[in-house]
Amino acid sequence: MKLNEPVSQQVVGKYRWTICALLFFATTVNYLDRQVLSLLAPQLSKEFNWSNTDYANITAAFQFVYAVAMLFAGRVVDRIGTKKAYILAIVIWSLGAIMHAYSVPMGSAVGSVMGALGLAVVPASILGFMLSRAVLAVGEAGNFPAAIKATAEYFPKKERSFATGIFNSGANVGAILAPLTVPWIALTWGWQAAFIAIGAIGFVWMVAWQILYDAPEKQKRLGADELAFIRSDTGSTAQAAPAGAKVPWFRLLAYRQTWAFAFGKFMTDGVWWFFLFWLPKYLSAQYGMGPADIVIPLAVLYSMTMVGSIGGGYFPAYFMNRGQSPYDGRMKAMLVIALFPLVVLLAQPLGGVSPWLPILLIGVGASAHQAWSANLFTTVSDMFPQRSVASVVGIGGMAGGIGGVVISKLGGWLFDYYGALSQISTGYMIMFTICAVAYLLAWGVMKTLVPRHKEITDL
């Protein structure tokens, strides 16, 4: 079998795509749980009298804890193995999602204890939601390190960005399903029911994962030909390492490849989270859209991102089929992808014509992010041996979470500042400008740090 032979012509099994489907559904659930709060934010802001800064603090609590947890999540995945780590992650994040329904009484209880100790007391609703978001963040931090490691285990390098693009599109499906379901559940049974119903879905996925997943060498459903294809990379480091294999963080930080990935995440993760957490409030503040009004615009926008995720994952194959190495092909694809978010610069200037213009332009930018993300994740498995992949992804995830905190806090401050001046559109223009140029800056620094592909073989 030749490595450059088109995948469609290779006579091997297809069980690896069952694993990809499991990762897709896990990521869908991940983003369903993550987006419930943003969809209910206009309603909850009115009910509990939150300012934009208050909401930013709640979202920043998620992003900060997510950043720290990502660092440790990668270690846990590398240490206990993909199967156990994924189960642990989804149990924690599903419980965290359900906890949101009880945020107010939980915040009141914790606030009473803090008051008795003489500590500054945060309003119960804000404190309770921050605690719930923190638990959600701890669990959700395990999703991408586990999914990227599973992809490295089950796919050869030339298929990894495509497989990553497919499972990463679950984020878009989750973002589409959320506005179609969450407002309806909240209107019918109350906002608490939305958190409980969506949060419980993760336990259904956990059963399927327990039944269908195992390490490739132990997987009875995986044929010998398919296993050989998975391990077919010349000079590949894909051979599975035993659970518990450990590479020190400081050793990983000695490589420019780690810093390149981390900087790419720092600069661009916050853009995606800004769109995810702030778009409902943007449509409400700029165009007066209520919960029912935002359903179709958000569904259209996130449907566009599915094209970017899957298409972007496949795009590097164009360069690889012309003799480029996986890393070089990916970097060329990422440069092209980094140009597309520049259209977001037109979102505010054209918003006066029709709200659909900024929705579509932001959709292009969000779609480009997913294409970028599918390739950025895969650069790790291009360069690092499998036993350290989840740890490097965790380091980058921490950097991305910190970037998300910066973006969220900056947005909350800008929107309150310019909102008080009745110029909130200026605040959004500044934020959209940051979102538009972040990818080109990230690519330039990454290329400077790692100008040529160099696979790490001494770990």
Side-chain angles (χ1 to χ4, degrees):
M1 183 183 342
K2 297 180 180 180
L3 283 180
N4 60 357
E5 184 182 358
V7 174
S8 60
Q9 295 178 17
Q10 294 167 350
V11 183
V12 295
K14 298 180 180 179
Y15 192 75
R16 64 193 184 281
W17 298 107
T18 299
I19 300 303
C20 186
L22 285 172
L23 303 178
F24 167 85
F25 286 115
T27 306
T28 299
V29 174
N30 185 282
Y31 272 82
L32 267 171
D33 289 334
R34 190 179 300 192
Q35 204 183 0
V36 176
L37 177 64
S38 65
L39 289 165
L40 299 179
Q43 174 187 343
L44 295 175
S45 295
K46 292 179 181 178
E47 182 171 340
F48 299 116
N49 196 31
W50 293 342
S51 66
N52 284 312
T53 299
D54 292 332
Y55 178 65
N57 287 336
I58 293 171
T59 61
F62 173 90
Q63 292 161 328
F64 177 76
V65 175
Y66 185 87
V68 176
M70 277 289 284
L71 184 63
F72 294 95
R75 305 297 280 180
V76 171
V77 174
D78 281 336
R79 190 171 188 82
I80 70 175
T82 311
K83 184 170 187 175
K84 292 179 181 178
Y86 229 143
I87 291 174
L88 178 63
I90 203 160
V91 167
I92 294 174
W93 96 52
S94 296
L95 290 174
I98 293 171
M99 280 175 59
H100 285 68
Y102 308 97
S103 290
V104 177
M106 186 170 61
S108 297
V110 175
S112 297
V113 174
M114 292 175 63
L117 296 174
L119 301 175
V121 178
V122 178
S125 64
I126 298 175
L127 179 59
F129 274 97
M130 289 176 73
L131 290 172
S132 299
R133 297 305 278 179
V135 175
L136 178 70
V138 170
E140 291 208 343
N143 183 72
F144 281 100
I148 295 299
K149 190 174 182 71
T151 303
E153 290 172 346
Y154 267 90
F155 290 87
K157 287 185 178 181
K158 65 180 178 179
E159 286 189 345
R160 284 180 197 167
S161 65
F162 186 44
T164 301
I166 291 175
F167 87 68
N168 194 44
S169 69
N172 313 319
V173 174
I176 293 167
L177 292 177
L180 296 175
T181 55
V182 171
W184 179 80
I185 295 173
L187 289 172
T188 305
W189 291 294
W191 61 264
Q192 295 92 339
F195 285 109
I196 294 171
I198 300 300
I201 298 173
F203 295 107
V204 178
W205 177 90
M206 185 178 65
V207 174
W209 179 256
Q210 176 65 33
I211 294 171
L212 297 173
Y213 184 87
D214 214 334
E217 288 75 16
K218 299 178 182 179
Q219 180 58 259
K220 296 179 181 179
R221 300 175 180 87
L222 191 68
D225 288 343
E226 186 171 9
L227 180 60
F229 174 67
I230 291 169
R231 301 289 182 242
S232 63
D233 295 287
T234 302
S236 173
T237 57
Q239 198 64 33
K246 186 177 180 181
V247 179
W249 276 317
F250 287 109
R251 190 173 179 190
L252 294 173
L253 291 173
Y255 295 97
R256 288 188 174 192
Q257 290 90 333
T258 302
W259 288 99
F261 176 69
F263 188 80
K265 294 287 285 180
F266 173 80
M267 287 299 301
T268 59
D269 271 18
V271 176
W272 174 253
W273 281 0
F274 174 73
F275 291 150
L276 195 71
F277 292 154
W278 288 93
L279 276 178
K281 288 182 74 71
Y282 166 69
L283 295 175
S284 175
Q286 290 277 268
Y287 303 106
M289 294 186 182
D293 302 320
I294 66 175
V295 171
I296 294 178
L298 290 182
V300 170
L301 188 152
Y302 287 115
S303 294
M304 294 171 64
T305 63
M306 290 184 64
V307 177
S309 185
I310 298 175
Y314 186 75
F315 185 29
Y318 173 84
F319 299 104
M320 294 180 204
N321 291 338
R322 285 158 176 77
Q324 297 289 319
S325 71
Y327 177 79
D328 291 337
R330 241 178 283 290
M331 288 301 292
K332 287 186 177 181
M334 289 171 70
L335 175 58
V336 176
I337 291 166
L339 297 173
F340 283 89
L342 295 176
V343 302
V344 178
L345 291 170
L346 300 175
Q348 282 297 89
L350 297 180
V353 178
S354 168
W356 276 103
L357 288 177
I359 288 167
L360 294 175
L361 291 170
I362 293 170
V364 172
S367 182
H369 172 86
Q370 292 298 78
W372 168 275
S373 183
N375 286 284
L376 180 61
F377 273 127
T378 314
T379 61
V380 179
S381 58
D382 285 341
M383 297 183 291
F384 286 88
Q386 190 186 101
R387 72 190 188 105
S388 62
V389 164
S391 293
V392 177
V393 170
I395 292 171
M398 182 182 72
I402 293 172
V405 172
V406 173
I407 287 289
S408 188
K409 291 289 290 179
L410 178 62
W413 178 80
L414 285 172
F415 302 147
D416 277 342
Y417 176 80
Y418 284 104
L421 300 175
S422 299
Q423 298 175 2
I424 196 169
S425 60
T426 302
Y428 280 108
M429 185 67 214
I430 295 172
M431 292 304 299
F432 288 155
T433 301
I434 295 171
C435 293
V437 303
Y439 298 86
L440 281 174
L441 178 58
W443 189 91
V445 173
M446 290 176 66
K447 188 65 174 175
T448 301
L449 287 171
V450 187
R452 290 175 299 278
H453 173 251
K454 183 179 180 181
E455 188 169 342
I456 295 170
T457 58
D458 58 346
L459 287 177

